[in-house]
Amino acid sequence: MAQIGGSLPQANAIAGGAAKGIKDLARLRLVTGSTLILVSLVGLLGADWDIQWHAVIGRDRTFTPPHDLILISIGLSGIVALIGILIETSWSRRHPDLRLYGTDFLGVLRSSLGSYLVGFGAVCSAIAFPLDTYWHSLYGIDVSLRAPFHTMIYMGSVLGVFGVIYLLLSAAHLSEMQHDRRTAFLSYAGMVAVLGILLSKFSTFLTPALSGHHLHLASLTLNLFPFLMALTAVFVCVLAVRLLPWMGATTMVVVVFLLVFLLVSAFVPPMMTLLVQAEHETYLARASRIGSTIIPLLGQTPVLLLLALSIDGVVWLGRRGQWALTRLKTWVLVASMVSMFLVAGFTLVQQIGLREQAAQGGGGGRGGSLVLGFVLSLILTVPGSLLGEWLGLTISETVQAQRR
Amino acid sequence: MRKAIQLVLCLFAVAALVVTGVAFYQIVLASTIHGAPVRFIGATAGSYPLKLALYNDPINAGDAIPFNIAVAPGTRGPLTYQVTASPGPGVPGGLSQGDVNAQQSTPYGVPGSITLVTRGLWTLNIVITGPAGRGEAEIPLTAVALPAMPAWLAWNIGLLPLYGLLLFWVVQTRRTAKKRSGDGLSEQSMVAETMKEVS
């Protein structure tokens, strides 16, 4: 499904110094993108650690260690993007041929669209930090993950991730033009990693929807989690299928997502234990039972592999049988819906189990409406998948067209 | 038009970063760079009479609040300090740990800082340990915050990056569609011209 239509000068039309310049430009974008992947991984670790810190220790000051990690990530992503922009601007002044492959900003700067996006994301997240301190000063430490300025920090980082996708896709495209296979391969590999990080960010942010965001219809309570999970997971998977030229791209993305999950699980508990001791912190009364053990973020579920495998299976069948694009899209959508129904169902059951465990078997008595609410919530995966697929297709098309 | 939008974005970024810098200064550096104390509070921690010097009045919630602890002259031996702040009833906060630099000494005593995360009543607990044993003092403090921002405004500011991303995609999608239709038209005209030449 990944199709690259050319809107830029082709390889055979570019010769000598210009070709060398394009090769260097591709490599610069690959290096910038790869550095930004590492930086955003630092931010992701900080964010997931911060969720645990808030849950068991509480926010006792602005500069807690997890906040420091998030801030380092924001600052570094801004600096790396700025350096990339300045280098590209200077190159395009020396080699006017390269101007074709950049976007002008105020007639002063000329660089990849991705770098600007990363810069804008970093600025947004940086502004959000003191605003978040102000919000906590008003409403305390129990502010939800979905508070206005948490959302702003988070969306700033998501914006940065999209910037990296633009950067790496452009690096892959430029290096393909120059038949530089190694750079193209590394760029696509970077895209797999960055899409995995994007899925991890989405799944972390939608986890509160499991317990906190419901739609009340008469005696029925609909959980919005299945809708949101289907929307985000199908969106990322469709992006992977459309932007990556490899077979099994979606599965690779979900494997990266699971590796990130393992990294967080391995990193957070020992860091919590270490810092609680080093900084003489005390656990909140409500969290003394949890301690440093990791709080499960159920949105980050390994069952998402089912979605990835089913989409990749359909794509494989489609390529083998040389299906028409419309047929392929329809079957990808059907596979997404069915697998998201199962994935969301499994996650909801897991959540109900955990809740009942916490309540020590209490509750009950509204079995009928609970089951109906559960089933209707799961049906929300259908509009979620539809919207996710439409968004994925539309945006991947735009990203492809603007990949210079 | 495009330049104007870029200029607005650039000015927004610069202004926002300046404001953010000032805010970070308030939150962090104000605890180390400050003028003279503006308020003194006397208390007794066991057998240690002390004077707490504060550099902010009122105390802003969320900022790192600098302070000095001066134990009455004549107290002998090395002293260790532990400062925490616990939220008063109804204040949604947790125990806050203070930093005290007992190695350093100023005319107002040993310096330290603490953050009162949320507005409301807090109790500053100062524990002093020395040759005369361990003493504890409790000093009530009130933290204030700026007036509350309406939720709709906060959410709209919070969603700015999302608005930016959506706007960017909408513009790019329209541009891509235009480009496509342009390419289609030029292809059609080329085919027509070729057909003419052939005929």
Side-chain angles (χ1 to χ4, degrees):
Chain A
M1 276 172 91
Q3 290 166 344
I4 297 178
S7 61
L8 297 169
Q10 293 305 304
N12 51 13
I14 302 159
K20 167 100 175 56
I22 294 169
K23 222 176 221 181
D24 289 344
L25 189 63
R27 283 176 187 167
L28 172 68
R29 287 183 183 173
L30 170 64
V31 170
T32 312
S34 310
T35 314
L36 286 167
I37 290 175
L38 290 178
V39 168
S40 96
L41 199 57
V42 170
L44 191 143
L45 283 178
D48 283 8
W49 184 12
D50 192 39
I51 292 171
Q52 309 291 326
W53 190 280
H54 274 246
V56 301
I57 293 174
R59 184 191 162 104
D60 63 339
R61 60 189 188 275
T62 304
F63 285 83
T64 58
H67 282 187
D68 291 344
L69 270 193
I70 298 173
L71 276 168
I72 287 170
S73 157
I74 294 170
L76 280 180
S77 63
I79 292 168
V80 170
L82 185 64
I83 292 173
I85 290 171
L86 292 177
I87 294 176
E88 282 201 29
T89 304
S90 122
W91 283 7
S92 68
R93 280 192 189 151
R94 269 186 280 152
H95 307 282
D97 304 338
L98 294 183
R99 295 179 69 81
L100 263 177
Y101 307 99
T103 303
D104 176 78
F105 190 82
L106 284 174
V108 182
L109 302 171
R110 181 163 279 275
S111 180
S112 150
L113 263 179
S115 302
Y116 296 131
L117 276 180
V118 174
F120 184 59
V123 169
C124 287
S125 297
I127 298 165
F129 230 93
L131 286 172
D132 184 46
T133 300
Y134 157 71
W135 201 251
H136 279 286
S137 76
L138 289 172
Y139 302 109
I141 57 168
D142 286 330
V143 168
S144 147
L145 177 61
R146 295 225 187 124
F149 303 114
H150 287 167
T151 306
M152 191 171 181
I153 297 172
Y154 169 82
M155 281 311 301
S157 73
V158 167
L159 203 60
V161 168
F162 276 107
V164 180
I165 292 175
Y166 273 88
L167 257 175
L168 290 173
L169 192 64
S170 146
H173 173 66
L174 292 178
S175 44
E176 272 173 349
M177 278 168 53
Q178 298 303 313
H179 306 292
D180 182 357
R181 283 191 190 165
R182 203 176 58 162
T183 309
F185 174 83
L186 290 173
S187 304
Y188 284 126
M191 278 182 64
V192 170
V194 85
L195 284 169
I197 289 175
L198 182 65
L199 188 57
S200 179
K201 280 180 187 277
F202 279 147
S203 58
T204 301
F205 201 67
L206 63 84
T207 298
L210 262 172
S211 50
H213 291 67
H214 294 111
L215 201 65
H216 298 284
L217 297 172
S219 62
L220 289 178
T221 303
L222 298 189
N223 193 321
L224 290 179
F225 175 79
F227 172 79
L228 294 169
M229 192 180 197
L231 168 66
T232 51
V234 174
F235 170 65
V236 174
C237 289
V238 169
L239 277 186
V241 171
R242 298 274 297 178
L243 298 179
L244 295 163
W246 297 334
M247 211 52 218
T250 316
T251 308
M252 289 181 215
V253 166
V254 175
V255 167
V256 169
F257 156 80
L258 293 177
L259 288 176
V260 171
F261 173 67
L262 282 179
L263 183 67
V264 170
S265 307
F267 168 80
V268 173
M271 288 307 282
M272 288 291 289
T273 312
L274 191 76
L275 276 152
V276 164
Q277 286 166 1
E279 301 204 352
H280 308 292
E281 297 284 1
T282 47
Y283 291 118
L284 292 170
R286 63 167 189 241
S288 53
R289 202 167 55 88
I290 303 169
S292 293
T293 56
I294 197 157
I295 297 168
L297 294 169
L298 292 181
Q300 298 184 350
T301 170
V303 195
L304 275 174
L305 259 180
L306 181 66
L307 171 71
L309 288 171
S310 62
I311 290 180
D312 279 337
V314 168
V315 171
W316 179 74
L317 283 175
R319 284 191 187 170
R320 208 168 145 227
Q322 294 185 324
W323 292 356
L325 197 62
T326 327
R327 188 180 173 199
L328 187 59
K329 278 182 192 170
T330 311
W331 280 104
V332 164
L333 183 62
V334 171
S336 307
M337 282 180 191
V338 173
S339 44
M340 276 320 297
F341 193 87
L342 295 172
V343 172
F346 175 78
T347 316
L348 280 185
V349 167
Q350 215 183 345
Q351 157 77 2
I352 292 167
L354 279 175
R355 208 190 305 155
E356 278 183 1
Q357 206 180 344
Q360 305 264 321
R366 293 197 307 125
S369 60
L370 271 181
V371 171
L372 189 58
F374 178 79
V375 173
L376 288 177
S377 300
L378 282 186
I379 289 174
L380 290 179
T381 50
V382 175
S385 303
L386 276 169
L387 192 58
E389 202 212 18
W390 176 77
L391 264 179
L393 289 173
T394 313
I395 288 163
S396 59
E397 208 166 295
T398 311
V399 175
Q400 287 278 23
Q402 301 293 327
R403 67 191 176 276
R404 61 186 180 172
Chain B
M1 179 63 185
R2 197 176 159 190
K3 277 250 164 84
I5 293 173
Q6 289 181 348
L7 188 65
V8 169
L9 272 177
C10 189
L11 290 176
F12 163 76
V14 171
L17 285 177
V18 169
V19 173
T20 305
V22 172
F24 273 127
Y25 166 79
Q26 288 279 336
I27 295 167
V28 195
L29 292 178
S31 65
T32 45
I33 305 167
H34 48 71
V38 293
R39 190 177 158 202
F40 293 93
I41 303 169
T44 308
S47 50
Y48 308 103
L50 63 92
K51 197 172 266 184
L52 178 76
L54 292 169
Y55 293 81
N56 303 72
D57 193 27
I59 292 166
N60 292 324
D63 290 1
I65 308 299
F67 61 76
N68 286 90
I69 303 169
V71 177
T75 310
R76 288 188 182 177
L79 299 175
T80 57
Y81 303 83
Q82 196 191 344
V83 178
T84 56
S86 43
V91 175
L95 189 73
S96 188
Q97 298 282 346
D99 287 325
V100 180
N101 189 352
Q103 314 300 324
Q104 211 182 333
S105 186
T106 71
Y108 305 105
V110 292
S113 69
I114 195 161
T115 305
L116 308 181
V117 182
T118 312
R119 62 180 168 175
L121 195 66
W122 289 75
T123 305
L124 194 71
N125 305 289
I126 303 174
V127 177
I128 300 177
T129 313
R134 185 176 180 275
E136 193 173 339
E138 290 191 346
I139 300 171
L141 293 175
T142 303
V144 297
L146 290 171
M149 184 188 286
W152 64 266
L153 180 61
W155 272 109
N156 277 298
I157 296 173
L159 290 173
L160 270 180
L162 181 64
Y163 294 155
L165 191 60
L166 291 179
L167 187 72
F168 171 76
W169 277 337
V170 168
V171 172
Q172 298 297 336
T173 309
R174 291 179 77 178
R175 201 170 283 171
T176 310
K178 245 185 211 173
K179 205 170 161 187
R180 281 254 154 90
S181 63
D183 287 352
L185 281 178
S186 61
E187 264 175 38
Q188 276 175 11
S189 58
M190 268 176 66
V191 171
E193 271 177 31
T194 318
M195 292 299 281
K196 259 185 199 172
E197 278 172 19
V198 170
S199 61

